[in-house]
């Protein structure tokens, strides 16, 4: 059942709404386990695995180019939200500063609290992916993953780790938290890749 805040669109708005999704103008919070609370100056983003190891702190992230993008987001629990506005560091701008081992083909995002989710490098290195610290011009709230989360808008939103603390580069695709629990390894909403047998 869709609640009153969710609306089945009459059409897919020119291909923007994936199959099986309803639109919401609210911003639901989807978190497995507790919300993590910590200050921006406690942010540490560790680069591990098949890359020159590095730890980026808040000032390092703010010293990189800052980008604001408007994107649609799609949760596997059937809600989509159009035109969300995020500010942060493009993943491509971060990658330009890293030394990756050529054997790296995938990356694991890890969060404070233990959440994890995997991506191929191709899905990770897209120009619209952001390490986001700001939503709609305001500091990203803790429940939505502040101080720092990833936003990977072309995949279901479980592929966007909140409270991001580590990017581990890997030579193989390894399942993260939901992927170990029955969700799809890639999670393309337009192909309805919800569960591992989709
Ligand atoms: N660390 C962490 N990141 C997470 C999750 C989580 O439980 N923990 N949930 C994921 C899921 S299933 C979704 S739909 C989005 C929800 O983001 P939101 O709460 O900002 O809407 O965060 C994703 N990232
Ligand atoms: Mo989700």
């Amino acid at each position: 059942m869709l609640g009153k805040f969710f609306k089945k669109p009459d059409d897919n708005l020119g291909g923007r709404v994936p199959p099986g999704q309803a639109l919401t103008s609210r911003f639901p919070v989807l978190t497995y386990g507790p919300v993590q609370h910590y200050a921006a100056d406690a942010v540490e983003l560790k680069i591990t695995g098949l890359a020159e190891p590095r730890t980026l702190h808040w000032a390092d992230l703010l010293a990189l180019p800052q980008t604001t993008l408007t994107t649609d987001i799609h949760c596997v629990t059937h809600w989509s939200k159009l035109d969300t506005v995020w500010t942060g560091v493009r993943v491509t701008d971060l990658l330009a500063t890293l030394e990756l081992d050529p054997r790296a083909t995938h990356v694991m995002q890890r969060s404070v609290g233990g959440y994890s989710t995997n991506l191929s490098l191709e899905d990770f290195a897209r120009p619209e992916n952001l390490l986001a610290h700001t939503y709609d011009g305001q500091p990203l709230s803790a429940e939505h993953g502040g101080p720092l989360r990833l936003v990977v808008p072309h995949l279901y939103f479980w592929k966007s780790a909140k409270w991001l603390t580590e990017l581990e580069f890997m030579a193989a695709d390894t399942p993260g938290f939901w992927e170990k629990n029955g969700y799809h390894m890639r999670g393309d909403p337009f192909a309805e890749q919800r569960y591992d047998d989709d």
Side-chain angles (χ1 to χ4, degrees):
M1 265 297 284
L2 296 171
K4 64 174 173 170
F5 294 107
F6 296 88
K7 191 178 179 304
K8 273 275 184 205
D10 300 329
D11 57 49
N12 68 6
L13 303 177
R16 285 176 78 182
V17 185
Q21 297 295 107
L23 298 181
T24 181
S25 53
R26 306 170 101 210
F27 195 171
V29 173
L30 271 280
T31 303
Y32 184 87
V35 169
Q36 304 293 328
H37 292 270
Y38 54 100
D41 58 16
V43 167
E44 286 195 341
L45 178 59
K46 293 188 284 291
I47 307 299
T48 66
L50 295 172
E52 194 67 27
R54 266 184 68 193
T55 300
L56 291 106
H57 296 98
W58 192 244
D60 304 319
L61 291 162
L62 294 188
L64 290 168
Q66 304 295 307
T67 300
T68 297
L69 294 174
T70 301
T71 51
D72 302 339
I73 55 179
H74 311 290
C75 175
V76 70
T77 64
H78 298 275
W79 58 266
S80 292
K81 184 170 174 58
L82 304 182
D83 295 323
T84 59
V85 184
W86 303 89
T87 305
V89 175
R90 278 190 210 265
V91 166
T92 50
D93 286 333
L94 172 70
L95 281 170
T97 73
L98 301 181
E99 294 283 346
L100 291 200
D101 185 312
R103 288 170 300 170
T105 57
H106 290 79
V107 61
M108 186 70 77
Q109 310 167 45
R110 293 187 204 283
S111 301
V112 175
Y115 186 84
S116 59
T117 188
N118 55 303
L119 293 173
S120 69
L121 266 194
E122 202 182 351
D123 282 325
F124 181 61
R126 300 211 357 170
E128 72 276 22
N129 293 351
L130 281 185
L131 296 140
H133 51 64
T134 297
Y135 177 77
D136 231 351
Q138 301 297 320
L140 183 60
S141 66
E143 55 272 25
H144 288 300
L148 186 74
R149 78 175 297 166
L150 206 66
V151 176
V152 179
H154 74 291
L155 298 177
Y156 281 125
F157 210 28
W158 93 76
K159 291 291 187 179
S160 296
K162 307 198 274 192
W163 315 298
L164 186 69
T165 190
E166 183 180 348
L167 294 168
E168 180 190 352
F169 291 90
M170 313 183 292
D173 200 7
T174 307
F177 175 73
W178 282 121
E179 295 82 7
K180 279 185 202 146
N181 286 285
Y183 282 82
H184 197 275
M185 287 292 268
R186 176 149 191 259
D188 176 356
F190 291 93
E192 280 210 87
Q193 294 173 339
R194 298 175 192 273
Y195 307 109
D196 54 12
D197 55 356
D198 285 339

